[in-house]
Amino acid sequence: MIPKITVGKFLPCLAVSALALPLLAIATPAEAATGPTASVSMGDSYISGEAGRWMGNSDTTSGSRSGTDRSWTGSSYNPSKIYGATYASGCDRSDSAEVRDASGIAQTQINLACSGAVTANIFQAADGGQSFKGEAPQADQLAAVAAKNNVKVITLSIGGNDLGFSDVIQSCVKDYLIWDSYCHDDEQAAIDSQMDTAMAGVGKSIDEIRAVMSADGYAAGSYRVILQSYPSPIPRSSEMRYPESGWTRETTGGCPFWDADADWARDTMVPEISDRLAAVAADKGAQFLDLRDVFQGREVCSTSTRLATPSAAPSATTSEWTRFVDAGMTTQGTIQESMHPNYYGQLALGRCLTLLYAQPTGDYACDNTPGKDSSGMYLTAK
């Protein structure tokens, strides 16, 4: 056993604050039908655009970070270029968020998702919904959007924070850094204890969305609800490019996880959550987008990817598509960006949504083509 040491490392956190958004005047159904068509995203950090600031990852700590930091102005960093006003709030709705990258769906794209949200932040306030850091519940925001626009599709990513996903990451990273034990046994038990309640919350979220749309005069068949699952940000152990021993997973790659914990997260936890979300979608009549394998070979520390360096620029075909666990006494960006789809990953998710919208019915999994950028995304029927 190697003795515990002090490491300049943070633990990821998904909890964030949010800005209040003004509600728009409620229009009549007739007025709503004449508004611009809209694609709306709702939910948590995996759809809000968290980590959209980053084009791959690099251990370079200054300047543009080898071209990976999109907030670099040439003399300083301005994350508001990427996240707008929501950088100050912590919702981190990026300019590359999935809903904004999906093409050919609607005339306008509206992102209501906020990093850190749980299912209770989706429900209408009248039905027990909770404001999130001063922002109205997302269903109440949807009511205003649906009244002013002709909403064609609502894409929802929710449930991960109800399951304590950030706690899982923190526990697994901590256990690796102190070389103490594996995290997966305890975390599996914790997820199991929360799963039924979390999935009930996801189901109620869909019910709340439908209730809002009905109240705004939308017929059931005039719009679509898509529920999506979560991608794995790390690969299984056999596909890790850094050894389990030593400190390179922590100091270089930003993937401080034991092999056993990586295997559990990639091949047990993520598929289990995806299967349960698929069951909720089927029960509620929502279309399901399975993202469990969408970043296969593009995860942090995958043998199929590399870090950007001063002599090797980031690339959608060679860089990682998820944000690494940031290292050092001073992080490159913000803690909450870790383990989320980055700019390249969000372009890929947007392409997945575009492809799914072209399928009027049915559930699909989205995958990538090795060696290609987001243009290589494709669907497989479930």
Side-chain angles (χ1 to χ4, degrees):
M1 178 70 68
I2 296 177
K4 179 178 178 180
I5 64 175
T6 300
V7 179
K9 175 66 61 174
F10 69 85
L11 297 179
C13 176
L14 299 180
V16 295
S17 61
L19 289 178
L21 296 181
L23 295 181
L24 302 171
I26 301 298
T28 65
E31 290 171 324
T34 61
T37 57
S39 173
V40 180
S41 60
M42 300 176 66
D44 55 28
S45 55
Y46 274 77
I47 199 169
S48 73
E50 187 70 82
R53 171 178 175 175
W54 304 98
M55 297 174 61
N57 299 305
S58 174
D59 286 335
T60 305
T61 58
S62 61
S64 68
R65 279 100 183 212
S66 296
T68 62
D69 192 345
R70 299 171 62 223
S71 78
W72 177 243
T73 66
S75 59
S76 63
Y77 303 103
N78 180 17
S80 294
K81 287 174 51 182
I82 312 305
Y83 301 119
T86 67
Y87 177 66
S89 76
C91 276
D92 284 0
R93 297 176 178 121
S94 77
D95 60 357
S96 59
E98 178 181 328
V99 69
R100 299 188 65 173
D101 289 324
S103 61
I105 294 178
Q107 294 168 303
T108 187
Q109 300 80 41
I110 300 172
N111 189 357
L112 302 180
C114 185
S115 192
V118 296
T119 55
N121 303 132
I122 305 296
F123 313 155
Q124 298 172 90
D127 291 328
Q130 299 174 8
S131 297
F132 188 59
K133 303 295 185 178
E135 182 170 335
Q138 291 180 33
D140 292 332
Q141 296 179 50
L142 175 64
V145 169
K148 191 174 179 63
N149 301 273
N150 182 6
V151 175
K152 305 307 294 182
V153 62
I154 300 158
T155 308
L156 176 66
S157 169
I158 201 68
N161 292 325
D162 297 73
L163 291 169
F165 186 60
S166 63
D167 293 334
V168 172
I169 295 173
Q170 290 182 45
S171 176
C172 293
V173 170
K174 179 180 178 181
D175 285 348
Y176 183 85
L177 293 180
I178 63 176
W179 287 53
D180 183 27
S181 62
Y182 299 128
C183 72
H184 60 271
D185 289 340
D186 289 343
E187 295 308 315
Q188 182 66 61
I191 287 175
D192 289 343
S193 71
Q194 299 172 96
M195 183 67 78
D196 289 345
T197 299
M199 292 303 109
V202 176
K204 182 177 178 180
S205 296
I206 296 173
D207 290 342
E208 291 285 298
I209 288 170
R210 294 198 186 281
V212 163
M213 297 298 284
S214 178
D216 266 343
Y218 285 77
S222 65
Y223 67 96
R224 222 188 297 182
V225 176
I226 297 171
L227 177 65
Q228 64 185 39
S229 64
Y230 295 93
S232 176
I234 60 173
R236 53 186 62 88
S237 63
S238 62
E239 297 167 1
M240 283 273 194
R241 68 173 180 264
Y242 302 103
E244 182 181 41
S245 61
W247 291 106
T248 50
R249 287 189 185 179
E250 189 270 335
T251 60
T252 303
C255 51
F257 300 91
W258 292 113
D259 283 351
D261 292 336
D263 289 340
W264 166 76
R266 179 67 182 85
D267 292 326
T268 298
M269 181 187 73
V270 169
E272 177 186 2
I273 295 172
S274 293
D275 288 343
R276 290 297 299 268
L277 287 170
V280 173
D283 181 58
K284 297 298 181 180
Q287 199 167 17
F288 183 63
L289 178 58
D290 192 336
L291 300 177
R292 73 181 74 188
D293 297 322
V294 71
F295 294 154
Q296 169 61 36
R298 314 301 185 109
E299 308 99 331
V300 172
C301 294
S302 169
T303 54
S304 301
T305 61
R306 62 167 176 79
L307 295 176
T309 68
S311 60
S315 164
T317 60
T318 61
S319 294
E320 297 158 328
W321 286 7
T322 58
R323 181 66 178 157
F324 61 11
V325 176
D326 211 341
M329 294 298 293
T330 302
T331 63
Q332 292 181 6
T334 59
I335 294 172
Q336 68 193 44
E337 292 172 309
S338 297
M339 299 284 100
H340 288 86
N342 63 22
Y343 174 78
Y344 294 133
Q346 289 169 24
L347 293 183
L349 294 176
R351 180 58 181 163
C352 292
L353 183 57
T354 297
L355 294 172
L356 184 67
Y357 190 74
Q359 305 295 327
T361 60
D363 300 335
Y364 291 84
C366 193
D367 298 276
N368 73 82
T369 302
K372 290 192 175 182
D373 59 15
S374 60
S375 66
M377 307 309 293
Y378 65 93
L379 299 180
T380 302
K382 297 288 290 181

